Amino acid sequence: MEPVNPTSTVESSPPPPSTTAPASKFSQTPIYSWWVMAVSILCFVTFFVGLNTVAVFGPVIRDEWSLSASSLSMLTLASMVTFCVIPVLAGSVAADMGVHRVLIVGMALNVAFGVLCITVGDSYTWMLLLRLLQGCSGGVMISTLAVHSSLWFPKNRRGFATGILMGFVGVAFSITAFVGPSLLDLGMSWQAATMWMTVVPSIVCTILFCTTVRDFNRTYPGAATMDDLLDSPADPSRRSTRFASLPRPATVREVLTNRRVWIISLYGAGTAVYLYGLAYALPLFLTENKGLTLAAASSLIGLTFFFKLVAAPVGGLMSDIYFKGERYQTMMIGAGVAGVLILAVPFVSGGLLAITLITMFFFASLYGGTFYTWAADLAAPGAEYKVSGMIFTLCNVGSAASAPMLGAVTDISGSASYAIFLVGAIGILSVFCAKYSRI
């Protein structure tokens, strides 16, 4: 079967279903797969740059509008709410729309957010609505782009490739923190700075993606992933097929009733509580319980960023090579070691505290090398976007709920230590979710 025209970007209708596997086309993963990954990373970064503007411009926004800390946090929560809900809806239609249309819709929402920031974004109420819109942008794109980029890699290369994607997502937060204040120094308002950091990159990335990135499913109809296009068949010594015969959901109903999809989604939600929750609870714990200054606590937590950036590709390599494309072992190791270390944090101090936190964040972040592979590992061909939508939605629920949940525990107990213990317990429980996901 011949591929469709590779220069086509947005097709008018999906190709007819194919029941015949395509002929092998590549002797190894093509270089072009890495270009798809690189452009996808740029699109991810564009969204997260806008998401982080409230955090970076927070002090300016509070002074300008005389907001309380709680009112300011609602601007971030607004984006997270729609970011949580939209993926499961987008995942149901992504396969029919095609990846280019999904990207265009997501980027158009991001552009609308930026443009409206300088037209109606001068009031808290309007900005709250705009942040809901901005969350929709990420919710539309994130599960679709993650799945699409993973399809361009075979099973025993997919973890490392998507681990790089996960690692570089965090770079967006650094970009906002660096560029945002520089734009303010030029005399811009924070609304104008937000516009420039979202609109221009969104337009550039949309053009780049739609003109250079091919839709995998429509370019190679009949191929589930890059595995189907390689010359050599699955080699048991390099690529595990142990779970290949397990039921794989193909419809929305099957996705919602599939045990493994629910288990891996719960694992993802627990991991989100771990990483996002600690961003909230650790500064409180280190300042109130360990007596560190806020500057020292922030520096210590910030030091972990580099190790988190490295951990995702390392986790991907572990699952790709050592475990031959199986993911659950890497996730068990990461969650288990991180859980034990965070439970030990209240009992260590000094230099050992820094070493413990850095090591804990490294192991907790190993899941980044498997995260974007889950849909391709679990779903029947053509249903990857549906599975991805559900997984992202539940993971994002964990992200959004982490700070309020740990804040309530801290308020009730009177100490951030109990929030730390809760995070550690969630890490230990996640080990069992990883084990029974069987991916």
Side-chain angles (χ1 to χ4, degrees), residues 159-181:
F160 176 64
T162 57
I164 293 175
L165 190 157
M166 173 65 90
F168 273 93
V169 164
V171 173
F173 294 89
S174 297
I175 292 174
T176 314
F178 175 76
V179 175

Side-chain angles (χ1 to χ4, degrees), residues 49-76 124 127 131 173 176-177 180-181 184 189-191 193-194 197:
V49 163
L51 183 67
N52 199 40
T53 51
V54 168
V56 171
F57 298 139
V60 178
I61 297 172
R62 286 189 67 183
D63 290 343
E64 183 175 316
W65 288 343
S66 301
L67 298 178
S68 65
S70 296
S71 296
L72 180 66
S73 69
M74 290 299 294
L75 294 175
T76 297
Y124 179 78
M127 185 54 66
R131 294 294 295 184
F173 294 89
T176 314
L184 294 185
S189 66
W190 62 267
Q191 293 97 331
T194 297
M197 287 193 294

Side-chain angles (χ1 to χ4, degrees), residues 150 155-167 267 271 308-321 325-328 330-331 362-374 377:
S150 74
K155 184 174 184 179
N156 62 340
R157 292 293 180 269
R158 195 177 299 142
F160 176 64
T162 57
I164 293 175
L165 190 157
M166 173 65 90
Y267 172 87
T271 303
K308 291 166 66 178
L309 180 65
V310 172
V314 169
L317 283 174
M318 287 173 58
S319 66
D320 282 348
I321 298 175
E326 293 182 359
R327 314 299 176 189
Y328 79 94
T330 300
M331 296 186 293
F362 178 86
F363 277 94
S365 301
L366 287 178
Y367 90 105
T370 68
F371 183 59
Y372 291 132
T373 72
W374 296 346
D377 292 336

Side-chain angles (χ1 to χ4, degrees), residues 192-216:
T194 297
M195 185 274 292
W196 281 107
M197 287 193 294
T198 54
V199 172
V200 175
S202 294
I203 294 173
V204 172
C205 286
T206 301
I207 295 172
L208 188 63
F209 192 98
C210 290
T211 57
T212 68
V213 173
R214 288 171 274 168
D215 188 321
F216 183 88

Side-chain angles (χ1 to χ4, degrees), residues 6 28 31 61 73 148 274 287 297-298 307 343 347 360 372 421:
Q28 60 184 2
I31 297 297
I61 297 172
S73 69
H148 179 257
Y274 217 112
T287 55
S298 299
F307 295 91
L343 288 173
F347 306 102
M360 183 276 300
Y372 291 132
F421 287 136

Side-chain angles (χ1 to χ4, degrees), residues 238-299:
R238 298 179 59 194
R239 195 180 315 163
S240 172
T241 58
R242 182 159 54 141
F243 303 131
S245 62
L246 294 177
R248 305 177 77 182
T251 65
V252 173
R253 181 175 181 179
E254 290 174 358
V255 170
L256 294 175
T257 58
N258 185 275
R259 177 173 172 267
R260 290 198 298 156
V261 172
W262 274 101
I263 288 174
I264 199 64
S265 297
L266 290 174
Y267 172 87
T271 303
V273 171
Y274 217 112
L275 295 175
Y276 288 91
L278 285 178
Y280 166 82
L282 266 180
L284 293 177
F285 172 77
L286 293 175
T287 55
E288 296 179 4
N289 295 78
K290 290 296 185 180
L292 274 65
T293 64
L294 181 59
S298 299
S299 298

